[in-house]
Amino acid sequence: MNWQNFLQLVLSGITIGSIYAFIGIGFNIIYNTTSIINFAQGEFVMLGGLILYSFHQSFHIPLIPAILLTLILVTLIGIGMERLTLHPVKNPTVLNMIIITIGCSIFLKGVALSIWGREVYHLPFFFPRPPFRIGGASITTQSLVVWVALIISSAFLYFFYRFTLLGKAMRACSVNPVAARLMGIKVKSLITLSFALAAFLGGLAGVTITPISLMDYQRGSLLALKGFAAAVLGGLGKEFGAILAGMALGITESLVAGYISSGYKDAVSLLILLFILFVRPGGIMGSKEEISLREL
Amino acid sequence: MLLEVKNLTAYRDSIPIVRSVSFHVNEGESVAILGANGAGKTTLIESIIGIISEKTGEVRFKGKDITRLNSEEIVKRGISLVPQGREIFSTLSVKDNLLLGAYTRFGRESMASIKETLEEVYGLFPILKEREKQLAGTLSGGEQQMLAIGRALMAKPTLLLLDEPSLGLAPQIRAKIFSSLEELHKKGITLLLVEQNTFYALRITERAYVMETGRLVMEGKSEEIAKDPEVIRAYLGREYREKWER
Ligand SMILES: Nc1ncnc2c1ncn2[C@@H]1O[C@H](COP(=O)(O)OP(=O)(O)OP(=O)(O)O)[C@@H](O)[C@H]1O
Ligand SMILES: [Mg+2]
């Protein structure tokens, strides 16, 4: 076993793990305000990649404005999805809401299929420079983009949840939604906000990963499954647990692909997910969530 | 009349729990609703503040109909609830719990006036100031109850609803809670207190209603109810008698 090869695998594992982390955080943000898993989370990622492709490659909008437009559009799609489908439901149960998100996922995939077809799309690296080399391994500029995006978003989220009134209200709403209403907190608006945040992060994941992993209309689902594994492994509801867990999954996957066979790569997350769901449904860091998962 | 409830029937899962209840609370008054477990006290309180929306009849506050408003609106208009079981935000700090109590005031009032209310709450419950940075879930039961009351006060309510604030507390802490409620009342807050602990409840209120299986079955001056052996035998039970005779 050679060291450089190992390092290379770990570095690519961190990059793909960052994407799982992004998606896992998205799951958690919505879970925290609604206690549901948003099955359309992967579609936000897919839309991020494909919309950016259209803006940048088809409409020739310069990269930075194209990225901004994409993120705005995906965020609006997230808000629209919540407002049009979940918001109007009176006294929804957790199961109702989950089924609605499954419907949204299928719908968004269908729309994407009709716009972009089955083709696989590719975007150039944001910074077309040769890879950096450390310790004999190489890091592409796009990997750095993914890492930096994750670091900035998590720092932003940390600040938001710890230090802003709105962020604290969102935490309050996840601890005790009825008491939150008693404080005059509009829980329904916070749910909309959580969809906006989750869609934004999903879109950002899609935008940054597409130059590395390519994108097509159905690629969101598999990414979402792995992001979900990260969210569960990190403890549902724990935004920052998902980051560590996403990294762990990404690295494991990358090592399995490198040393055993890339055919088993996708099985890793699934096996880990199944294992946790059997052994510790609350995730490695969770406890309270265990109960809510059993109630499902 | 500050609060006026007319023929209120409130349902849980389509089952009427509170049936055709009418009562009122005057400005500056302190009123108790007494009743045994399952009488429907919590259901009544929650339908007043808009947590329960399945209801008929009318709730008026400051002369305006608030029956169909959601709880966010009702809180803005000046009613706060200290819920049964405290329902604090256990994973947030004590201070954050209190600040969230003032949620509707942010943006409408200056930070200084919110800070002023915070200091008043700390004045009433100095222990909360000491524990300011601690997570609310790590407080003792009595401290959590003080936090729940303090959090409700942060909204600067005209009418404070309290649902069994003494439940599950040791006697001295219970006494402390009730004396702080008395103090609040003296400062001019109108209180509507739901209690099973009739002994204290009758001591700190001016009027009381007795609730039984979803209906208000009697009304009177707290002082008089406390002295009336018939009422006590019929509605208020043994615990009360023992305390009173002692
Ligand atoms: N979802 C429900 N469906 C039907 N009945 C319910 C439901 N929830 C509560 N009840 C019943 O409503 C009645 C009144 O409940 P409520 O909580 O209002 O009483 P309470 O007077 O506050 O009692 P306690 O002193 O124990 O708090 C109880 O008999 C309870 O069993
Ligand atoms: Mg009750």
Side-chain angles (χ1 to χ4, degrees):
Chain A
M1 169 163 146
N2 101 23
W3 163 249
Q4 284 172 6
N5 191 18
F6 177 77
L7 185 62
Q8 187 63 60
L9 290 171
V10 170
L11 290 175
S12 8
I14 292 178
T15 302
I16 187 70
S18 304
I19 294 306
Y20 302 161
F22 263 121
I23 300 170
I25 296 173
F27 276 121
N28 281 326
I29 290 174
I30 289 176
Y31 176 83
N32 273 339
T33 48
T34 59
S35 311
I36 66 162
I37 301 302
N38 167 31
F39 277 85
Q41 189 62 33
E43 275 55 58
F44 296 150
V45 181
M46 174 269 289
L47 289 171
L50 294 183
I51 293 174
L52 178 61
Y53 177 88
S54 292
F55 281 164
H56 189 47
Q57 303 292 91
S58 313
F59 304 151
H60 306 292
I61 300 174
L63 189 65
I64 303 285
I67 291 174
L68 291 178
L69 281 177
T70 304
L71 292 178
I72 291 170
L73 192 55
V74 176
T75 308
L76 289 177
I77 291 171
I79 294 173
M81 166 184 157
E82 196 276 335
R83 281 278 153 168
L84 295 177
T85 66
L86 292 159
H87 211 81
V89 183
K90 285 222 160 35
N91 307 318
T93 66
V94 167
L95 192 60
N96 290 157
M97 294 203 285
I98 290 181
I99 291 170
I100 290 174
T101 70
I102 294 176
C104 291
S105 155
I106 296 171
F107 174 77
L108 291 174
K109 243 191 273 187
V111 171
L113 178 63
S114 64
I115 298 178
W116 290 281
R118 291 173 195 281
E119 239 172 289
V120 176
Y121 291 87
H122 175 257
L123 277 169
F125 282 10
F126 296 173
F127 303 99
R129 283 225 215 108
F132 299 97
R133 303 197 64 84
I134 44 161
S138 64
I139 309 170
T140 64
T141 52
Q142 193 62 29
S143 286
L144 286 180
V145 168
V146 172
W147 298 358
V148 169
L150 180 66
I151 292 168
I152 293 178
S153 330
S154 25
F156 164 78
L157 279 180
Y158 183 82
F159 177 82
F160 175 71
Y161 280 120
R162 292 280 138 187
F163 300 110
T164 69
L165 184 69
L166 209 51
K168 287 171 188 174
M170 281 184 93
R171 279 163 65 209
C173 174
S174 80
V175 191
N176 195 328
V178 174
R181 281 171 60 196
L182 287 177
M183 305 300 106
I185 295 170
K186 289 204 181 67
V187 175
K188 280 212 155 186
S189 314
L190 292 193
I191 292 177
T192 310
L193 176 64
S194 70
F195 272 81
L197 274 176
F200 177 87
L201 288 176
L204 186 58
V207 160
T208 53
I209 197 68
T210 300
I212 299 175
S213 74
L214 317 185
M215 194 55 73
D216 64 54
Y217 83 101
Q218 58 176 358
R219 201 156 292 201
S221 308
L222 186 60
L223 286 172
L225 193 65
K226 294 176 178 175
F228 179 60
V232 172
L233 184 62
L236 263 185
K238 299 198 162 55
E239 282 87 356
F240 299 99
I243 298 180
L244 283 182
M247 294 298 164
L249 280 185
I251 293 171
T252 314
E253 219 176 63
S254 173
L255 292 176
V256 167
Y259 290 118
I260 305 174
S261 153
S262 62
Y264 291 127
K265 183 179 77 148
D266 293 336
V268 173
S269 305
L270 289 182
L271 282 177
I272 293 180
L273 182 61
L274 285 178
F275 180 77
I276 307 166
L277 289 177
F278 276 120
V279 183
R280 286 215 60 180
I284 39 178
M285 303 185 191
S287 54
K288 156 193 126 189
E289 291 79 5
E290 222 159 308
I291 305 159
S292 30
L293 264 184
R294 289 217 175 99
E295 277 170 359
L296 281 182
Chain B
M1 260 180 262
L2 185 63
L3 178 75
E4 188 181 14
V5 173
K6 283 192 277 191
N7 288 323
L8 184 68
T9 298
Y11 303 79
R12 284 195 196 264
D13 294 338
S14 308
I15 302 167
I17 305 290
V18 167
R19 295 158 205 232
S20 189
V21 162
S22 300
F23 75 100
H24 70 275
V25 179
N26 294 320
E27 181 117 40
E29 239 189 337
S30 167
V31 174
I33 294 180
L34 309 170
N37 281 113
K41 307 181 295 294
T42 299
T43 310
L44 174 61
I45 290 289
E46 289 187 347
S47 50
I48 291 173
I49 201 155
I51 294 281
I52 293 177
S53 53
E54 204 187 341
K55 62 196 166 197
T56 59
E58 201 178 0
V59 182
R60 299 184 78 84
F61 180 63
K62 293 181 184 164
K64 298 227 173 65
D65 186 358
I66 59 162
T67 323
R68 295 281 134 229
L69 296 184
N70 56 28
S71 41
E72 295 104 28
E73 282 300 318
I74 295 176
V75 171
K76 264 193 206 158
R77 293 187 183 209
I79 307 184
S80 285
L81 167 63
V82 180
Q84 181 168 357
R86 320 192 236 286
E87 309 287 344
I88 51 160
F89 303 117
S90 51
T91 55
L92 273 70
S93 73
V94 168
K95 190 175 179 187
D96 284 348
N97 269 267
L98 292 172
L99 289 178
L100 284 170
Y103 188 80
T104 55
R105 296 172 61 199
F106 282 93
R108 301 196 304 170
E109 285 175 48
S110 73
M111 198 58 206
S113 82
I114 292 170
K115 281 262 159 68
E116 201 182 294
T117 318
L118 185 66
E119 287 312 315
E120 278 169 30
V121 169
Y122 284 155
L124 189 65
F125 302 118
I127 189 80
L128 294 181
K129 182 164 183 113
E130 265 173 57
R131 306 243 186 275
E132 193 175 65
K133 297 217 164 58
Q134 221 167 296
L135 291 189
T138 64
L139 297 181
S140 74
E143 289 161 359
Q144 291 191 9
Q145 188 63 60
M146 293 174 201
L147 179 58
I149 296 173
R151 187 181 64 176
L153 290 174
M154 287 299 293
K156 275 201 152 177
T158 322
L159 172 64
L160 183 64
L161 311 177
L162 298 115
D163 195 350
E164 306 210 31
S166 75
L167 196 68
L169 299 181
Q172 301 117 297
I173 298 170
R174 210 177 262 193
K176 162 80 184 111
I177 296 281
F178 280 113
S179 76
S180 59
L181 293 181
E182 249 181 319
E183 199 176 314
L184 284 172
H185 181 47
K186 282 199 193 107
K187 281 190 195 152
I189 292 190
T190 309
L191 297 181
L192 177 60
L193 171 68
V194 160
E195 261 299 337
Q196 283 190 57
N197 191 308
T198 38
F199 177 73
Y200 273 116
L202 290 174
R203 275 181 32 168
I204 69 160
T205 53
E206 289 137 20
R207 270 188 319 123
Y209 294 88
V210 176
M211 189 169 198
E212 216 182 40
T213 55
R215 294 175 196 278
L216 294 184
V217 290
M218 73 160 294
E219 181 207 341
K221 288 217 160 79
S222 300
E223 218 177 337
E224 281 162 18
I225 293 181
K227 283 183 201 146
D228 188 341
E230 278 305 308
V231 177
I232 293 160
R233 191 170 309 124
Y235 303 118
L236 305 181
R238 218 186 59 211
E239 184 207 21
Y240 178 81
R241 266 200 317 274
E242 283 169 358
K243 279 203 175 126
W244 191 250
E245 281 155 12
R246 226 185 292 142

